[in-house]
Amino acid sequence: MIELIRRRDPHRPDRWKIYFGDVCIGDIGPRAGVPTTVDQLEWYCGFVPPAHRGVDAGGTAIDLHDARQKFEVAWRKLRTAFTDDDFAAYRYARAWTAWNRECGRTAASCRHKRRMAARDASAA
């Protein structure tokens, strides 16, 4: 089984992103605006598209060790609900989003890429 990997969020250094292979399946980080007398961390396990079906989990934790334990328990329960198609849909959406952002930066180049892709598809 693929091991879970934890990486710092590049946009929020106080948060950790959790990866299953190349798919970000959740995060752990501080809660905002809560009193110091309550759990200071929050965790979330899930990704789109399964999260749209209600296949996700989240909660609070006292410290990073507690958050990691709760996350791993949730992951073991949820992992069976995720299909290969869910992971493929996530990867497709990620690739499409990256492509679309690149098109926004270089609109003329993307029009050319679309024409070339259409030409290649019709030739196949």
Side-chain angles (χ1 to χ4, degrees):
M1 181 174 196
I2 298 175
E3 182 180 321
L4 297 182
I5 299 168
R6 200 178 59 222
R7 296 184 194 140
R8 289 253 185 220
D9 185 332
H11 306 289
R12 293 195 52 199
D14 59 343
R15 294 191 78 79
W16 293 91
K17 294 287 188 184
I18 314 298
Y19 288 85
F20 178 69
D22 65 333
V23 175
C24 181
I25 59 163
D27 64 0
I28 298 173
R31 297 171 66 192
V34 296
T36 57
T37 57
V38 299
D39 293 348
Q40 294 299 299
L41 294 178
E42 63 184 354
W43 60 272
Y44 173 77
C45 182
F47 66 98
V48 174
H52 288 305
R53 298 191 312 259
V55 182
D56 62 349
T60 61
I62 297 169
D63 57 20
L64 185 59
H65 179 72
D66 185 36
R68 287 179 64 189
Q69 284 183 329
K70 290 178 177 179
F71 186 95
E72 288 176 11
V73 167
W75 171 247
R76 277 187 244 120
K77 289 179 183 174
L78 292 175
R79 174 61 182 105
T80 58
F82 300 143
T83 66
D84 290 340
D85 288 342
D86 292 333
F87 290 105
Y90 174 88
R91 289 179 182 106
Y92 176 83
R94 183 181 59 198
W96 184 89
T97 300
W99 178 82
N100 196 36
R101 284 186 182 141
E102 182 62 26
C103 282
R105 284 192 283 272
T106 58
S109 173
C110 283
R111 282 194 295 275
H112 173 72
K113 287 178 187 176
R114 272 190 237 127
R115 282 195 299 267
M116 298 304 286
R119 186 191 70 182
D120 291 345
S122 64

